[in-house]
Amino acid sequence: MAVQVDVFGSCVVRDIFRHTQPGKYKVYKSAGNLPITSLYENSIFMDKKEVDELKMPSYDKVMLRAQMSRNLPELLLNKRSEILVLDLADEFMERCEIKGPNGITMLAQAENQGEFLDNLFEGNERYSIVKRYPMLEMDMQKVEEKIKKFAKDILYSEENPRGYFGEKCDCG
């Protein structure tokens, strides 16, 4: 029987499990283009129909909705595999500060989404892009706080009995 894994990170890591030793691993859940540091901002509401009409692959639409709703930790823990593989390469995606009804929030964007975000917010009365910057210009104390919060949200504890077990982690 194949070992089920959940992958949070780039498609490269996901594809390693899909195409290495066929039948040994099965990717149960996969989420990418979602930096941890973008998950703990004000949520952005966009009608599902609006997202469905965007000219981008279906997977990117699902990941955009997950980033906008800020509910990825909950999605990962719902019917999870025993193993979660983290790839933090997406943490280096460009950030966009967005002004909207909830104040200023942030989205991260992959290289292929630059025009998409420009078009998404162009002429939109509810949202506009305030600023773009690389991740390395972020406040590193806030980055650390968000990553610690994510770890607390997804790892097993008495307060989080549905979490992934950290003991199975090979961090070396």
Side-chain angles (χ1 to χ4, degrees), residues 105-143:
T105 191
M106 179 183 36
L107 282 178
Q109 67 175 22
E111 287 180 27
N112 64 345
Q113 292 179 333
E115 287 181 25
F116 154 72
L117 285 177
D118 290 336
N119 294 337
L120 177 62
F121 297 115
E122 184 178 315
N124 189 321
E125 295 175 11
R126 292 174 36 134
Y127 296 99
S128 62
I129 296 175
V130 175
K131 174 178 156 182
R132 294 178 187 266
Y133 53 92
M135 180 270 189
L136 292 175
E137 290 181 12
M138 292 177 67
D139 178 334
M140 288 300 131
Q141 183 176 348
K142 288 182 181 180
V143 168

Side-chain angles (χ1 to χ4, degrees), residues 141-158:
Q141 183 176 348
K142 288 182 181 180
V143 168
E144 185 177 333
E145 289 169 6
K146 290 175 183 183
I147 291 173
K148 284 179 179 179
K149 172 136 177 60
F150 180 74
K152 183 179 179 194
D153 288 349
I154 65 165
L155 290 176
Y156 175 84
S157 67
E158 286 185 23

